[in-house]
Amino acid sequence: MSIPHPSRRVALLTLGCARNEVDSEELAGRLSQDGWELVDTDENADVVVVNTCTFVESAKKDSVDTLLAAADTGAKVVAVGCMAERYGAELAESLPEAAAVLGFDHYPDLAQRLDDVVAGRSVASHQPRDRRTLLPITPVHRPAKATEVTVPGHGWGPRVLRKRLDDAPVAALKIASGCDRRCAFCAIPSFRGAFVSRHPDEVLAEAHWLAEQGARELFLVSENSTSYGKDLGRELGGLEALLPRLAAVPGVDRVRVSYLQPAETRPALVAAIAGTPGVADYFDMSFQHSSEPVLRRMRRFGSTASFLALIDQIRDQAPAAGIRSNVIVGFPGETEADLAELERFLTEARLDAVGVFGYSDEDGTEAAGLPDKLADDAVAERVARVGDLVEQLTAQRAEDRVGEEVLVLVEQAGDECTGRAGHQAPEVDGECLLPDGAGLAVGDLVRAKVVAAEGVDLVVHPLEVVPRRESP
């Protein structure tokens, strides 16, 4: 008598940023390779794996709410991702609904751990540690050691250990992980680890694979893209050397870089982004603030003057470049003068998109112990004040683009046809509306003229469909 094979159906839910999306696709690839069937959450999954986020307090709440909702389906629930890595056993103790809380070190044998969960075997919860201590302090000594440390998205070699979870024409591509900066408000390096680049050959192999899967735009993601290559040796070069190679991949029509540190943005990198055909004129600059006293308390560099000079340098080489940033208001000790300085910077910078965040304490950060904290209602008032200003400024910036020609990657077709131009990144920077887009298909790249603006969104008229470049 044969023994029936146990059901191995798993659903993956992803919260947070594009880096988490890449990690989920790595997990999907590992699980599929080991015989697990990927299903939607409404398809009677045996296990629901929730890739959590812990960026800010609201992200933590969303992660917990998602875990609880997944448990209500009757499936076993497993927490992975940043919140699981950061809190581990503490999260497991406070959330008994989760059958397991697993860290990054569990990723290579996740299929076996899910087998344990389905079989009712106990799985020890992840025990957090400061992941900055796992790699050498000196970046050039890290590549060899990194093969002994589980870093999601690294160490695959020539194969691509990934399975796409959608068929969108844009795909995130991880070029590095971790961060060596010590911003006073940020806990990410403690659980994502020290900065480590992926080898260019590994990145290029994945780029070719993504093109074969139908991706026309590659969205390069990391915690700090400007540091790319600093640990690989001078002969391999930095991001400015990688970009032309990625842009030359057959089938890829646009490469976009995310998360640039202003203090590390070199003239050669500006020139590479602005001057390489196939690379979007897009600069995702992590300014965070512009008042020097606030920036110094944040353990960051820069000022209104230096940031505006960098923006001028960018626009000298790419006048229509998209420039976006995030800012934090209400940081401990922020005065009215500091806030006015930030408002002056935002007004003069003419950014295309700005995320405005109110400061909140993060466990284990230097800022959590700083004096002169602002009351919650004062922080909220400043968020609203700067947010209103940003809404006006970015709407005006969009109006300034009326009459421009843009290349739009269509992401939704049919009755409502929408896409994104070169200055618009996925989900955060607005989109292009194509009311005359009948006949266009998802994945089309369209040369179009901007005819109107609706807030940060552009209304565009299609002029021609651009053939895919040497599709594989």
Side-chain angles (χ1 to χ4, degrees):
M1 179 177 175
S2 62
I3 299 174
H5 193 282
S7 178
R8 302 175 88 209
R9 294 162 59 85
V10 59
L12 277 164
L13 296 177
T14 307
L15 301 168
C17 64
R19 298 185 293 275
N20 260 17
E21 293 173 7
V22 175
D23 290 351
S24 285
E25 293 196 346
E26 176 187 349
L27 296 180
R30 290 184 180 278
L31 291 170
S32 295
Q33 178 179 279
D34 289 335
W36 279 81
E37 178 187 359
L38 295 172
V39 300
D40 293 331
T41 51
D42 59 357
E43 296 184 75
N44 297 319
D46 299 294
V47 182
V48 177
V49 175
V50 180
N51 191 350
T52 59
C53 178
T54 186
F55 178 54
V56 291
E57 197 61 39
S58 60
K60 298 175 192 175
K61 183 180 184 304
D62 287 345
S63 294
V64 170
D65 289 346
T66 302
L67 287 161
L68 292 173
D72 287 341
T73 67
K76 302 284 189 180
V77 177
V78 173
V80 299
C82 292
M83 191 175 186
E85 175 65 37
R86 185 177 182 184
Y87 294 107
E90 180 184 346
L91 176 62
E93 183 177 352
S94 62
L95 197 71
E97 293 84 354
V101 175
L102 307 180
F104 299 148
D105 291 338
H106 290 99
Y107 284 14
D109 58 356
L110 182 63
Q112 290 72 40
R113 299 293 73 76
L114 297 193
D115 286 338
D116 291 336
V117 166
V118 170
R121 295 187 290 268
S122 176
V123 178
S125 298
H126 166 65
Q127 296 295 328
R129 52 184 171 169
D130 189 334
R131 291 185 68 86
R132 291 171 293 190
T133 64
L134 303 183
L135 293 172
I137 293 176
T138 306
V140 294
H141 293 154
R142 290 176 187 161
K145 181 68 175 175
T147 60
E148 305 170 17
V149 176
T150 300
V151 182
H154 291 246
W156 297 351
R159 61 179 177 158
V160 175
L161 192 57
R162 179 175 178 178
K163 180 179 177 65
R164 293 211 67 186
L165 295 175
D166 61 38
D167 56 359
V170 58
L173 173 57
K174 185 180 289 189
I175 61 171
S177 291
C179 186
D180 287 340
R181 304 186 72 86
R182 294 294 181 267
C183 300
F185 54 82
C186 183
I188 291 174
S190 67
F191 57 85
R192 277 289 183 178
F195 181 87
V196 57
S197 304
R198 294 181 71 191
H199 193 281
D201 291 345
E202 190 172 291
V203 175
L204 285 161
E206 189 172 346
H208 280 275
W209 179 83
L210 288 168
E212 291 167 1
Q213 304 299 308
R216 295 190 73 171
E217 177 179 317
L218 302 180
F219 185 35
L220 308 187
V221 298
S222 71
E223 277 76 27
N224 178 5
S225 296
T226 34
S227 282
Y228 179 79
K230 73 176 187 179
D231 51 338
L232 297 178
R234 187 170 298 177
E235 67 278 5
L236 292 179
L239 186 55
E240 55 267 33
L242 179 65
L243 287 174
R245 299 179 68 187
L246 287 171
V249 172
V252 172
D253 288 286
R254 187 155 69 196
V255 176
R256 181 186 307 278
V257 183
S258 71
Y259 214 81
L260 303 172
Q261 286 285 349
E264 298 179 37
T265 302
R266 307 168 297 278
L269 180 56
V270 173
I273 295 174
T276 303
V279 175
D281 293 336
Y282 178 80
F283 293 81
D284 176 15
M285 307 300 306
S286 175
F287 291 125
Q288 303 299 351
H289 211 284
S290 73
S291 167
E292 289 189 72
V294 174
L295 287 167
R296 299 307 173 268
R297 285 196 296 276
M298 288 180 168
R299 301 296 184 195
R300 295 178 65 85
F301 301 95
S303 64
T304 295
S306 66
F307 291 164
L308 290 175
L310 177 57
I311 290 170
D312 286 344
Q313 181 187 14
I314 291 169
R315 289 185 172 141
D316 282 346
Q317 299 188 53
I323 307 176
R324 67 108 51 219
S325 190
N326 292 324
V327 296
I328 298 172
V329 298
F331 192 79
E334 181 190 63
T335 64
E336 276 291 332
D338 293 325
L339 194 64
E341 181 70 1
L342 174 61
E343 291 171 323
R344 181 174 79 86
F345 165 70
L346 293 171
T347 301
E348 296 185 26
R350 297 171 54 243
L351 302 177
D352 291 271
V354 183
V356 181
F357 294 88
Y359 170 81
S360 62
D361 287 340
E362 279 295 316
D363 299 336
T365 62
E366 178 186 354
L370 290 178
D372 302 321
K373 299 279 177 62
L374 278 70
D376 290 346
D377 58 349
V379 174
E381 186 277 329
R382 294 187 180 195
V383 170
R385 170 177 156 184
V386 175
D388 287 345
L389 175 64
V390 160
E391 185 175 356
Q392 297 173 41
L393 294 172
T394 53
Q396 181 57 57
R397 176 63 176 156
E399 286 280 355
D400 293 343
R401 291 190 179 275
V402 173
E404 288 184 6
E405 285 192 4
V406 292
L407 280 176
V408 179
L409 182 63
V410 177
E411 296 182 330
Q412 179 178 331
D415 293 339
E416 293 186 9
C417 187
T418 63
R420 292 178 300 100
H423 69 282
Q424 296 169 319
E427 298 182 4
V428 294
D429 295 339
E431 60 185 2
C432 289
L433 314 175
L434 295 103
D436 304 321
L440 294 176
V442 172
D444 281 346
L445 189 65
V446 181
R447 188 169 64 88
K449 185 173 183 178
V450 181
V451 296
E454 297 181 0
V456 295
D457 296 333
L458 302 179
V459 180
V460 304
H461 174 71
L463 302 175
E464 66 172 342
V465 176
V466 179
R468 185 167 183 172
R469 185 176 57 82
E470 299 179 24
S471 180

